[in-house]
Amino acid sequence: MTLDAKYDHLKVEDGIYSTWVDKGYFTAGDMSKKPYCIVIPPPNVTGKLHLGHAWDTALQDILCRYKRLKGYDVLWVSGMDHAGIATQAKVDARLQSEGISRYDIGREKFLERAWQWKEEYAATIRSQWAKLGLSLDYTRERFTLDEGLSKAVRKVFVDLYNDGLIYQGERIINWDPELKTALSNIEVEHKEIMGHMYYFKYKIVENGKELVIATTRPETMFADQAIFVHPEDERYKDIVGMHAINPANGQALPIMADDYIDMSFGTAVMKCTPAHDPNDFALAKKYNLDMPVCMNPDGTMNELCGKYQGMDRFECRDALVKDFEEAGVVDHIEEHMHQVGHSQRSGVIAEPYLSKQWFVKMKPLAEEVLANQHIEDQKINFVPNRFEKTFTQWLENIEDWCISRQLWWGHRIPAWTNNTTGELYVGMEAPEDIENWTQDEDVLDTWFSSGLWPFSTLGWPDSTEDLERYFPNDVLVTGYDIIFFWVARMAFQTRYSMKNRPFKDVLIHGLVRDSQGRKMSKSLGNGIDPMDVIHEKGADALRWFLTTNSAPGMDLRYDEAKVDAAWNFINKIWNAARYVQMQIGDEKPLLDVTKTSCVDKWILNRMNETIQNVESNMEKYEFGIAGNELYSFIWNDFCSWYIELSKATLYSDNSEAIQTTKAVLYTVLENILILLSPFMPFVTEEIYKSLPHDKESINLEKWPEIIAFDCCDQEKHQMQICISAIQTTREIKVDYGMKPSEDLEICLSECVSDDIKAILKKMCHAIVIDKIESEDVLSRTIDNCILTVSMDKLIDLEEEKNKLEKEIQHLEAEIKRCNGMLNNPRFVQKAPEAKVNAERDKLKDYTNKLNICKEQYEDILKKITD
């Protein structure tokens, strides 16, 4: 197979993925290898994958492919989440488009339609996984509503219930009036909106005076049960124990005192609506007040509201205020900026609502997780570690979790009520005399089942080989935006059920934002479909961009120019591979390191350094740094230098040197392909199979090993001088209008070998001589060596003086910058050790260059003066 003259990603990607899957390259279970298990955040079956998910899974896939190359038995379970609220809303919308509702067809038929939706969109998701090139184990695919996970859910629910950690009770919860279901606190997004503070007059029954009370939600007044003031508020001490008339319904409300009241807010008089406010609910519990609800589940007003019954809650607000204005009840109205909770699923304003729901007691579960965060082999390690604070702070302040949802799509709560006695039964299976029992209508919050993912997908509660081998998982890769939603839930549910951590590491990434730094959203119209990018630029270009342009925990800005740069990089690799293929033909050349030249040794040494640096950063999840190492080595060292330098040998008549150079070209390219394959699986597979190869697929290769050969520091240094001399000589020729093919005599302050001299003559027509006789010389600093050129007729001393002045200024600025960073304790203590050492090396290099430039500058000044 010969590589096409032009790189075409569509042709490269076509058919490769299905071959990989069919041949079982990604199937785990090789018992001869050490196990490694990674957790995939299961996408929900409501539509297409977004760019954030592409980033998420590309990072995971890099880890999986890297670990396989390192000899691990990698398990990456493919799976999807049923996404109760979101999926039911989608299916409801589809039914509505057909002119029917779920109530028309009933629960059983609705669930049939929901499963049809799941199968339809699951197929779409699998096709998108294929487009991304994800190396998932499809033989173990799981779904959060499959029978195995349903068994796990029932087991955990029953255990928690029997341990007194699940209870049913009336509490103020967040309610979505559009979807008509409860929401957990983290499913509510608080937005700052401009509303109004309404000040209404309440007449005191006993003395006929008026109280002015402020509220932001007049529509809830029909459920008011009391009026509260602070017991130490001198303005209202005399009226405590009296009653005031509720202007909404004429009821006499008792005036009570409690130190909860903020005397600095509003008029310091508060109406108490227990069923529609969590703080009022607490007061009602304290004083044993009634808790009537004045709204229907759909957000309309109920029978307590008189003529306003049936109105939407906000329609009622407007009508009630208008009536109050006409009746003289309104004292005044102010604009009021405040935080209002919105349902993340439907977008409507969530309603604090008294409802009977199922709850999990969170404090004991959270405390168990927090205690184990102090045990080294039990703690969850966050990368970056600053996110552990986010995790622990949420657990320290956690509230009980409302787990019931008023939906049909989901895990139905395994609780039944006896039709005769009212007895409640909670169990793994339905009661035997099922005709005498009625099952709870609600389903569980989706996160209840998702929280079991690390072990339920491995077969729990049954004892399985996978559970024994792959639990706890090794790593989870996810965004910081679902630490509360998912990471914390997996932590406490796994700790409860398995007495262990769910995974050892959590690699946190940020959000994908647009080029302006804005979060991508439908409302802004700035979303990017990863499938569109893949079609235009290729999966490899998208993967390279997503995984090498950000550090752990940091947001990523989508930049089309950088995706184009990734495509250009792939094209560079493709063209380099074609060059190598043309040189070596169909047979794999064998490398004999004893016959390598200084140039060969240089590239092999750089390859060894790259292998070590990439591996080190991959182990630390620093994919961006690993990518930069690869880019620099491939583009600069291999493509720009070694391939060019190799031509001098390949076009010579030295057959032994030619064979060695071919072997080095092949060896380096093969290792480049393997190193790149986790990032760019498609193009590396295509090139690998077009070259002579040992394995059926690059997926079966091993991580490159360091090649041992004799190469002293002096040889390495000589090659650095050689490369710098070529660059500098070419720059001088450009600066002074010389032709590239024109010979130029140069003198180097360090002795170089005859091989280096021959390379300089071949590559830039530079003839190395021992001494420059002329007094008019041009000097350049290259790698702590001075390159001097006789330029009697061409040199402009004033121009050279100006260049040296600018270079000295530049070096002094860099030295100042390095010293500033190295003298900063925060940088030295918190930055990666490699980064700190790199800055120290730069400082040393800049200082040496500055000293040399100053010497040259003094020489130039002396010549000008003379």
Side-chain angles (χ1 to χ4, degrees), residues 139-196:
T139 66
R140 291 170 167 86
E141 182 174 320
R142 302 306 298 269
F143 180 54
T144 54
L145 271 182
D146 69 29
E147 181 51 42
L149 267 72
S150 294
K151 181 179 179 181
V153 166
R154 295 195 304 274
K155 167 71 172 165
V156 173
F157 186 96
V158 172
D159 287 350
L160 286 168
Y161 179 81
N162 290 336
D163 285 343
L165 293 172
I166 281 184
Y167 64 93
Q168 195 176 25
E170 284 198 324
R171 295 273 299 276
I172 293 287
I173 48 89
N174 301 296
W175 185 262
D176 185 322
E178 181 171 310
L179 298 175
K180 294 187 279 296
T181 184
L183 304 168
S184 67
N185 290 340
I186 54 177
E187 290 173 313
V188 176
E189 181 179 1
H190 285 84
K191 301 177 183 179
E192 192 172 57
I193 64 173
M194 180 61 74
H196 293 88

Side-chain angles (χ1 to χ4, degrees), residues 570-806:
I570 296 170
N571 194 53
K572 184 85 168 178
I573 298 164
W574 184 268
N575 290 333
R578 290 188 68 245
Y579 170 80
V580 174
Q581 187 181 57
M582 287 187 291
Q583 303 307 319
I584 67 172
D586 297 329
E587 293 187 14
K588 178 179 178 179
L590 299 177
L591 177 61
D592 183 349
V593 294
T594 64
K595 297 178 180 179
T596 50
S597 68
C598 60
V599 178
D600 299 331
K601 290 180 179 180
W602 168 76
I603 194 64
L604 290 173
N605 181 67
R606 282 291 299 120
M607 182 186 72
N608 284 344
E609 291 174 345
T610 301
I611 291 170
Q612 291 174 321
N613 292 337
V614 171
E615 181 174 342
S616 172
N617 283 294
M618 294 289 272
E619 292 293 337
K620 295 182 290 188
Y621 307 115
E622 290 284 2
F623 303 122
I625 298 176
N628 289 335
E629 289 278 350
L630 283 168
Y631 182 92
S632 177
F633 172 67
I634 295 166
W635 190 289
N636 298 326
D637 298 330
F638 184 65
C639 295
S640 297
W641 283 109
Y642 185 72
I643 285 181
E644 185 177 4
L645 291 169
S646 72
K647 295 173 183 177
T649 302
L650 294 172
Y651 301 150
S652 71
D653 55 5
N654 187 333
S655 58
E656 184 177 271
I658 291 172
Q659 188 61 26
T660 301
T661 297
K662 287 181 178 181
V664 171
L665 279 168
Y666 174 85
T667 300
V668 175
L669 177 60
E670 182 183 48
N671 283 341
I672 283 172
L673 295 175
I674 296 170
L675 291 170
L676 271 176
S677 63
F679 297 88
M680 303 175 178
F682 290 110
V683 70
T684 52
E685 174 83 335
E686 183 77 3
I687 296 173
Y688 177 86
K689 294 181 77 170
S690 73
L691 299 171
H693 51 279
D694 297 327
K695 305 290 185 181
E696 186 179 49
S697 166
I698 201 169
N699 291 282
L700 304 177
E701 278 286 359
K702 294 180 179 179
W703 188 255
E705 295 181 354
I706 301 301
I707 295 177
F709 58 93
D710 292 330
C711 182
C712 64
D713 291 339
Q714 180 62 21
E715 287 178 294
K716 298 176 188 177
H717 182 54
Q718 290 252 315
M719 272 306 300
Q720 287 302 127
I721 290 175
C722 177
I723 290 171
S724 295
I726 294 171
Q727 291 174 314
T728 303
T729 301
R730 288 172 174 173
E731 289 169 1
I732 290 172
K733 288 185 176 183
V734 171
D735 289 345
Y736 292 93
M738 296 180 67
K739 294 178 181 179
S741 60
E742 189 175 346
D743 287 340
L744 182 65
E745 291 185 342
I746 65 172
C747 180
L748 299 171
S749 62
E750 289 192 27
C751 292
V752 293
S753 66
D754 290 341
D755 287 344
I756 299 296
K757 291 177 182 179
I759 293 170
L760 290 171
K761 178 69 171 67
K762 182 74 175 177
M763 301 304 298
C764 60
H765 290 271
I767 301 171
V768 181
I769 59 176
D770 295 333
K771 185 179 180 180
I772 300 288
E773 299 294 342
S774 172
E775 293 185 359
D776 293 332
V777 296
L778 170 67
S779 296
R780 290 278 192 268
T781 304
I782 56 169
D783 285 280
N784 298 325
C785 170
I786 299 174
L787 182 151
T788 308
V789 180
S790 176
M791 298 288 287
D792 289 341
K793 296 181 180 180
L794 299 176
I795 191 169
D796 184 330
L797 291 177
E798 283 294 335
E799 183 176 342
E800 188 60 24
K801 179 173 79 75
N802 292 336
K803 287 182 180 179
L804 283 168
E805 285 175 346
K806 291 179 181 178

Side-chain angles (χ1 to χ4, degrees), residues 385-669:
N385 60 14
R386 68 178 183 272
F387 287 103
E388 182 176 357
K389 185 177 181 181
T390 304
F391 173 74
T392 57
Q393 282 184 338
W394 189 73
L395 288 173
E396 288 167 350
N397 297 285
I398 201 164
E399 297 177 0
D400 285 357
W401 175 19
C402 176
I403 55 172
S404 45
R405 298 290 181 269
Q406 289 63 54
L407 305 170
W408 289 354
W409 177 244
H411 293 279
R412 195 161 175 183
I413 291 176
W416 291 259
T417 302
N418 189 285
N419 299 332
T420 304
T421 65
E423 174 192 353
L424 181 66
Y425 163 77
V426 173
M428 287 285 291
E429 305 298 336
E432 291 184 5
D433 53 337
I434 186 63
E435 65 277 2
N436 297 320
W437 299 78
T438 300
Q439 187 174 1
D440 195 300
E441 289 288 326
D442 291 350
V443 300
L444 289 165
D445 178 12
T446 298
W447 296 105
F448 193 96
S449 51
S450 298
L452 312 181
W453 192 259
F455 55 96
S456 63
T457 54
L458 301 178
W460 188 90
D462 296 333
S463 179
T464 66
E465 288 185 2
D466 280 357
L467 189 64
E468 178 68 25
R469 181 165 174 77
Y470 299 108
F471 182 85
N473 306 158
D474 288 275
V475 65
L476 164 73
V477 181
T478 193
Y480 60 66
D481 55 326
I482 60 170
I483 290 176
F484 307 144
F485 283 98
W486 195 38
V487 180
R489 302 209 187 288
M490 286 189 286
F492 64 71
Q493 288 183 271
T494 305
R495 175 59 55 187
Y496 173 76
S497 295
M498 304 297 293
K499 312 306 178 193
N500 207 330
R501 57 185 172 181
F503 24 73
K504 299 167 188 174
D505 295 341
V506 179
L507 172 60
I508 300 291
H509 61 75
L511 302 176
V512 183
R513 300 185 179 275
D514 68 10
S515 58
Q516 300 176 43
R518 300 174 301 175
K519 187 175 179 179
M520 291 184 176
S521 67
K522 290 182 180 179
S523 59
L524 290 175
N526 61 348
I528 302 292
D529 187 336
M531 297 303 118
D532 291 342
V533 180
I534 288 173
H535 179 75
E536 185 177 351
K537 309 291 184 183
D540 290 327
L542 177 62
R543 287 168 61 114
W544 181 260
F545 163 73
L546 289 173
T547 56
T548 63
N549 279 278
S550 180
M554 303 299 291
D555 288 347
L556 170 68
R557 290 194 181 193
Y558 182 78
D559 187 336
E560 188 173 354
K562 289 185 177 180
V563 182
D564 288 337
W567 191 95
N568 290 334
F569 179 41
I570 296 170
N571 194 53
K572 184 85 168 178
I573 298 164
W574 184 268
N575 290 333
R578 290 188 68 245
Y579 170 80
V580 174
Q581 187 181 57
M582 287 187 291
Q583 303 307 319
I584 67 172
D586 297 329
E587 293 187 14
K588 178 179 178 179
L590 299 177
L591 177 61
D592 183 349
V593 294
T594 64
K595 297 178 180 179
T596 50
S597 68
C598 60
V599 178
D600 299 331
K601 290 180 179 180
W602 168 76
I603 194 64
L604 290 173
N605 181 67
R606 282 291 299 120
M607 182 186 72
N608 284 344
E609 291 174 345
T610 301
I611 291 170
Q612 291 174 321
N613 292 337
V614 171
E615 181 174 342
S616 172
N617 283 294
M618 294 289 272
E619 292 293 337
K620 295 182 290 188
Y621 307 115
E622 290 284 2
F623 303 122
I625 298 176
N628 289 335
E629 289 278 350
L630 283 168
Y631 182 92
S632 177
F633 172 67
I634 295 166
W635 190 289
N636 298 326
D637 298 330
F638 184 65
C639 295
S640 297
W641 283 109
Y642 185 72
I643 285 181
E644 185 177 4
L645 291 169
S646 72
K647 295 173 183 177
T649 302
L650 294 172
Y651 301 150
S652 71
D653 55 5
N654 187 333
S655 58
E656 184 177 271
I658 291 172
Q659 188 61 26
T660 301
T661 297
K662 287 181 178 181
V664 171
L665 279 168
Y666 174 85
T667 300
V668 175
L669 177 60

